[in-house]
Amino acid sequence: MKINLKFGVKPLELNKYYISKNQDTLQINLLKFYISKIQIQYSDKTIDSQTNSYHLIDIENPNSCKIPIEKITDKTISKVSFSIGVDSTASISGALEGDLDPTKGMYWAWQSGYINMKLEGKSSSCKTRKNEFQFHIGGYMKPNYAMRKVVLEPKKSNSTVEINVDVAALFSQLELSKINSVMVPGNQAMQIADYSVTMFKTK
């Protein structure tokens, strides 16, 4: 799986100015999110599932945008599904390794678990300190369960599934003058988690 980070049709670049659908001028200076529970369905209806597999996508680490599919086959891929975030089991397991290592900056504490998505930047629309916006979206306990499932059908049949992640789709549903800081699980985090699903499209 290859993840292409975008803002509309353009590649997403740190600290570059973009204009959202809501006419907010903004810059992104941090973007990280987890992809987990990957399932690959083939045209013959067989399914390969990655269990206990968590991948931290980080705009500052291009290698993180390439996720190996564990089983190599010449079958045609018909559907790909995955979750945005980290499940409750991992969230309460304490110190973990690899992409789940708390030193990655994506872990609150056992009470709140992992941050599924972290998005930070600046916009003149934000009447905040240094015009900053901060969205740390997570929560693993009901009613604030922020993990979301994405199901996609690849448009091309080859060995690489390319997925565009269009951050503009998220900002088209946000007015930064009204919502610009979400740092704990709750209703606003749930709403942004819902919006985040719209960012994912197959190429």
Side-chain angles (χ1 to χ4, degrees):
M1 286 174 58
K2 185 172 182 291
I3 307 294
N4 303 311
L5 302 176
K6 311 281 253 181
F7 197 97
V9 298
K10 298 178 180 178
L12 183 65
E13 298 178 41
L14 290 177
N15 303 313
K16 185 174 180 178
Y17 284 99
Y18 299 97
I19 300 175
S20 75
K21 188 177 179 181
N22 290 318
Q23 301 303 305
D24 290 319
T25 300
L26 58 95
Q27 294 173 287
I28 306 292
N29 55 40
L30 187 151
L31 173 63
K32 295 181 180 181
F33 58 89
Y34 279 106
I35 284 180
S36 62
K37 296 184 180 295
I38 297 172
Q39 284 194 329
I40 309 292
Q41 181 174 311
Y42 301 97
S43 54
D44 64 359
K45 304 299 183 185
T46 57
I47 295 174
D48 284 340
S49 300
Q50 289 192 12
T51 56
N52 298 317
S53 176
Y54 306 91
H55 305 275
L56 180 59
I57 311 301
D58 183 351
I59 190 172
E60 294 194 71
N61 178 12
N63 288 333
S64 72
C65 295
K66 299 173 184 176
I67 301 174
I69 296 173
E70 293 175 348
K71 293 185 180 179
I72 298 174
T73 177
D74 57 2
K75 296 178 183 178
T76 300
I77 296 172
S78 61
K79 192 176 292 184
V80 176
S81 68
F82 53 86
S83 293
I84 309 167
V86 176
D87 56 36
S88 57
T89 302
S91 287
I92 61 176
S93 294
L96 295 166
E97 299 177 337
D99 279 359
L100 292 178
D101 191 321
T103 61
K104 301 285 185 182
M106 297 293 284
Y107 188 68
W108 276 316
W110 68 268
Q111 298 99 324
S112 300
Y114 281 89
I115 301 168
N116 294 341
M117 181 180 71
K118 193 181 267 193
L119 178 60
E120 298 180 2
K122 295 182 179 181
S123 171
S124 57
S125 299
C126 300
K127 306 309 176 189
T128 55
R129 182 176 174 272
K130 297 183 179 179
N131 301 118
E132 293 174 338
F133 59 81
Q134 295 179 309
F135 300 114
H136 295 184
I137 307 307
Y140 70 91
M141 291 186 287
K142 291 181 179 180
N144 298 315
Y145 187 67
M147 197 170 179
R148 294 293 183 271
K149 186 173 183 179
V150 176
V151 180
L152 301 171
E153 295 182 6
K155 296 171 185 173
K156 298 177 182 177
S157 299
N158 55 34
S159 58
T160 299
V161 178
E162 288 204 49
I163 297 172
N164 287 344
V165 181
D166 180 12
V167 177
L170 177 63
F171 282 104
S172 71
Q173 299 172 87
L174 292 173
E175 289 186 60
L176 288 172
S177 61
K178 297 179 180 178
I179 301 177
N180 46 55
S181 181
V182 178
M183 305 289 285
V184 294
N187 290 337
Q188 286 188 326
M190 294 288 285
Q191 189 175 43
I192 294 174
D194 290 340
Y195 295 158
S196 71
V197 175
T198 66
M199 297 193 300
F200 293 82
K201 300 278 191 303
T202 46
K203 188 174 178 182

